[in-house]
Amino acid sequence: MSELSMSGAGRRDYVQPVMAGALAAIVGYASTFTLVLAALTAAGASPQQAGSGLMSVCIAIGILNIVVSARVRVPVSFAWSTPGAAFLLTVGEPVGGFPAVAGAFLVAAALIVLTGLIKPLARLIGAIPAPIANAMLAGMLLTLCLAPINAVAQMPALALPVVLAWAIGMRLARRYAVPIAVVVTGIVLASTTNLPAGALDGSWPSLVPVMPVFTLDAIVRIGLPLYIVTMASQNLPGLAVMQANGFTLRPAPLFVMTGIASAATAFLGGISSNLAAITAAICAGPEAHPDREKRWPAPVAAGSVYLLLAPAASLAAAFIAASPPLLIQAVAGLALLSSLTAALSGALVSEETRLPATLTFVTTASGITIAGVGAPFWGLVAGIGMMVLLHFGRKSDVQMNGK
């Protein structure tokens, strides 16, 4: 009798983390898969290449979630780079087309691996002040978060139901607000969009190889900013989320693994893989299980769900390619409003860094390109430069006055 009850308790120990992990994967996928597809398409990918990119990343993060968590018995979660996709959507197609984008993905992946292998590089990324990194992210997200407003103004009959569904979802079931908006978008598109003949041809699940091409334009405009955004806005916050939940990780092996996974998916059109931040809070937090030692099955369940969702990527890409781009961007914008809120809060938290952070934000949001280098990089330079100008030598001045 006692054995039966113990076995029942053991099964119950797994139910809660498995449910939490499945929820994390479904919410993570449904909230931002449209953003990833829109970003890859804007960068020059065909529907087949965009579907392949999303499918490959689903497979990569599915495997990472399952293997790493099961191996180390710690709820380490992985995801695609949502800030990276938001950044990519603002850049457009570079010289050399999508093969050049794949080359930039490969460069970013190599830099992530090097960050795990070379400690000073990791310290350099870690030295970027959090308010500046948050301000850069907020500047990149601003344009996308304006898309729902623009969509309501330009196509109210299509966009209003989506925005209202999201707003009602925020009131009644906050965690499911974006998936509800995605479902309503699907219904709106299914009832109003006339798919042209052959639109779904080639939409069966498939991985399409892309031979990377290395161009200075794509490396400088996409590769380097993507690396900085992924490290500063995903990997470092991901480590912080784990630490806040009582898990101390060795970051170097995780960076190497995500870099290798990102390099593999780059040959299939996939954006970077990294440590999860938002969904990590679900898998590593108390809602996965009251006992921290029993939370590790949550990422395993999340990885399994990602593997199940992967084959749907090609069909989703084909359908989205035939839909109004602004409406798709509007859904992505709704998904990123909470990220924008968090980034702005983090950017303006300290009065000392508020002005440099604001300069970073407006420079990044301006969308300028100087010498072929995009606004996020210049926002970072402007903010750090202003911070150095305002605070350089201040401590020594105070010490001298004190004497």
Side-chain angles (χ1 to χ4, degrees), residues 14-100:
Y14 285 106
V15 169
Q16 188 175 349
V18 165
M19 293 296 292
L23 174 65
I26 292 169
V27 170
Y29 183 93
S31 299
T32 55
F33 82 95
T34 54
L35 173 65
V36 174
L37 291 174
L40 293 173
T41 302
S46 67
Q48 291 78 18
Q49 289 172 327
S52 171
L54 178 59
M55 184 178 179
S56 67
V57 179
C58 282
I59 294 171
I61 62 178
I63 293 172
L64 284 171
N65 274 297
I66 293 171
V67 172
V68 175
S69 295
R71 173 77 176 172
V72 300
R73 292 295 198 270
V74 172
V76 187
S77 297
F78 300 88
W80 55 62
S81 179
T82 299
F87 157 71
L88 187 63
L89 188 56
T90 66
V91 175
E93 184 175 352
V95 176
F98 194 61

Side-chain angles (χ1 to χ4, degrees), residues 312-383:
S314 298
L315 182 61
F319 189 76
I320 286 174
S323 306
L326 183 57
L327 189 62
I328 302 304
Q329 291 175 20
V331 181
L334 292 174
L336 292 169
L337 278 173
S338 59
S339 297
L340 176 62
T341 303
L344 286 172
S345 298
L348 303 177
V349 67
S350 169
E351 188 174 350
E352 265 194 25
T353 56
R354 199 165 289 163
L355 181 59
T358 301
L359 180 60
T360 298
F361 171 71
V362 296
T363 304
T364 305
S366 71
I368 61 168
T369 299
I370 301 174
V373 181
F377 175 80
W378 295 117
L380 202 63
V381 170

